[in-house]
Amino acid sequence: MARESLVAVSYPVDDEFTRINMGVLGGSARVVFLHGRPEDEIRETMRQAGVLIGWHLSEEPPAGTWQDAPRLRFVQLLSAGADAVNFAAIPERLTLASNVGAYAKPMAEYVMAVTLALARRLPQRHADLARGEFKMWERVLTLDGAVCGILGFGGIGQAAAGLMRAFGARIHAVNTSGRTSEPVEFIGTLADLDQVLAAADALVMALPLTNATRGLIGARELGLMKPTAILVNVGRAAIVDERALYEHLRDQPEFCAGIDTWWHEPGSGFSPGYPFFDLPNVIGSPHNSGVTDGALQFGAGQAAENVLRFLCGEAVIGVTHREDYL
């Protein structure tokens, strides 16, 4: 453990986030918070830092900083995804880790809420009532005995599977190895995608956005799914072809989707590329499936714990591979 190590934190922090980082790292390193400091101070700190903790690095630290940070060896993201990182700008010597699994529990809760709502066709029945139509005997689905396909069987996927099993669902999962110690009915890799799509009554998408997963689900893949199936995406929007999904939802009114991640996410003001919200079989949310009271603080603690592992010479989790993104 190197007491003289300097850890730079580039994401905005308040007193609570400062306490989290200092509580985990204060005895092992000097922690410097960069947000709001003059650019010359930021650059000087980065020249001395061995570790950087940042949100997703799309805007911080300032451009050009990477090449002038000779001591930097480890970068820890606060975000679970690494697709916003410009890997071409980051020196190859650096190890970069995403905050995998940090938001798994709240995201799994969201998956469960949306899946149940769409299985019971709550948006459609609500709209019927608003029109004065009392469709008591319209068909709804149950998760008891249903197949839940989960693409991406890491922290989020496994947490969602635990909740799904409590409702009687059978789990068909996909991960990179095709192996798991979790209780599943089927485990495979992306080579088994068509089989999982065809079997799924509900499909949970918790994959990272990489070269291998971008555009993974298009019109052909959606066509393999059951006409009454439910797709819930808490991964990244670009894993699914936007036009193909809209047209499938429009043309297959019993097919439903819960969309938490969008193809073009603004800071404020929002208009999707296709009129998804004109469709009665869609539930949308503003990329907040992992945002609950205390969730970001928990994620900050998890990120700091991973940095502590690095400082102590232990194996870190969530290490990314730049060839998956470049």
Side-chain angles (χ1 to χ4, degrees), residues 234-258:
V234 292
R236 288 292 186 265
I239 297 170
V240 185
D241 182 272
E242 183 179 15
R243 177 177 177 177
L245 180 59
Y246 169 75
E247 292 181 349
H248 193 76
L249 288 161
R250 180 195 64 194
D251 299 339
Q252 301 283 339
E254 287 301 306
F255 189 93
C256 296

Side-chain angles (χ1 to χ4, degrees), residues 13 63 76 89 120 140 151 160 249 286:
V13 296
Q76 172 66 51
R120 299 307 299 261
V140 296
L151 306 185
L249 288 161

Side-chain angles (χ1 to χ4, degrees), residues 116-122 124-125 135-143 228 254:
L116 285 170
L118 291 172
R120 299 307 299 261
R121 302 307 197 238
L122 295 185
Q124 295 94 321
R125 300 295 81 82
K135 297 182 178 179
M136 181 177 180
W137 301 109
E138 285 289 312
R139 181 187 182 193
V140 296
L141 307 181
T142 178
L143 296 181
T228 57
E254 287 301 306

Side-chain angles (χ1 to χ4, degrees), residues 12-13 19 28 40 42 44 58 62 105 113 115 124 133 148 162-163 175 200 242 252 267 269 289 293 305:
V13 296
R19 286 195 298 272
S28 306
D40 60 338
I42 293 175
E44 179 57 32
S58 62
K105 287 185 177 180
T115 303
Q124 295 94 321
E133 300 173 8
C148 177
L163 297 181
N175 63 13
E242 183 179 15
Q252 301 283 339
S289 62
D293 288 344
E305 291 285 354

Side-chain angles (χ1 to χ4, degrees), residues 52 130 305 323:
L52 173 70
E305 291 285 354
E323 62 270 18

Side-chain angles (χ1 to χ4, degrees), residues 91-286:
E92 292 187 21
R93 72 173 189 276
L94 296 183
T95 298
L96 186 145
S98 59
N99 206 5
V100 294
Y103 312 105
K105 287 185 177 180
M107 292 178 73
E109 185 178 289
Y110 171 93
V111 166
M112 204 70 239
V114 172
T115 303
L116 285 170
L118 291 172
R120 299 307 299 261
R121 302 307 197 238
L122 295 185
Q124 295 94 321
R125 300 295 81 82
H126 177 90
D128 293 339
L129 290 172
R131 291 190 300 268
E133 300 173 8
F134 200 81
K135 297 182 178 179
M136 181 177 180
W137 301 109
E138 285 289 312
R139 181 187 182 193
V140 296
L141 307 181
T142 178
L143 296 181
D144 189 14
V147 170
C148 177
I150 301 181
L151 306 185
F153 207 52
I156 299 166
Q158 290 179 20
L163 297 181
M164 289 284 179
R165 285 194 298 268
F167 282 83
R170 297 170 291 156
I171 307 301
H172 290 206
V174 165
N175 63 13
T176 55
S177 68
R179 300 185 301 275
T180 183
S181 59
E182 294 290 305
V184 298
E185 186 173 83
F186 173 81
I187 182 71
T189 68
L190 284 178
D192 303 295
L193 177 63
D194 287 3
Q195 173 185 332
V196 173
L197 293 177
D201 295 290
L203 183 72
V204 178
M205 304 191 60
L207 291 163
L209 179 61
T210 66
N211 295 332
T213 63
R214 186 179 296 273
L216 182 70
I217 304 297
R220 186 192 76 84
E221 289 74 23
L222 292 167
L224 295 174
M225 298 183 69
K226 297 175 181 179
T228 57
I230 298 163
L231 183 152
V232 179
N233 190 0
V234 292
R236 288 292 186 265
I239 297 170
V240 185
D241 182 272
E242 183 179 15
R243 177 177 177 177
L245 180 59
Y246 169 75
E247 292 181 349
H248 193 76
L249 288 161
R250 180 195 64 194
D251 299 339
Q252 301 283 339
E254 287 301 306
F255 189 93
C256 296
I259 307 173
D260 184 53
T261 58
W262 298 88
W263 294 264
H264 306 285
E265 295 190 357
S268 62
F270 175 67
S271 178
Y274 292 85
F276 284 95
F277 298 111
D278 292 345
L279 302 175
N281 46 343
V282 172
I283 292 178
S285 55

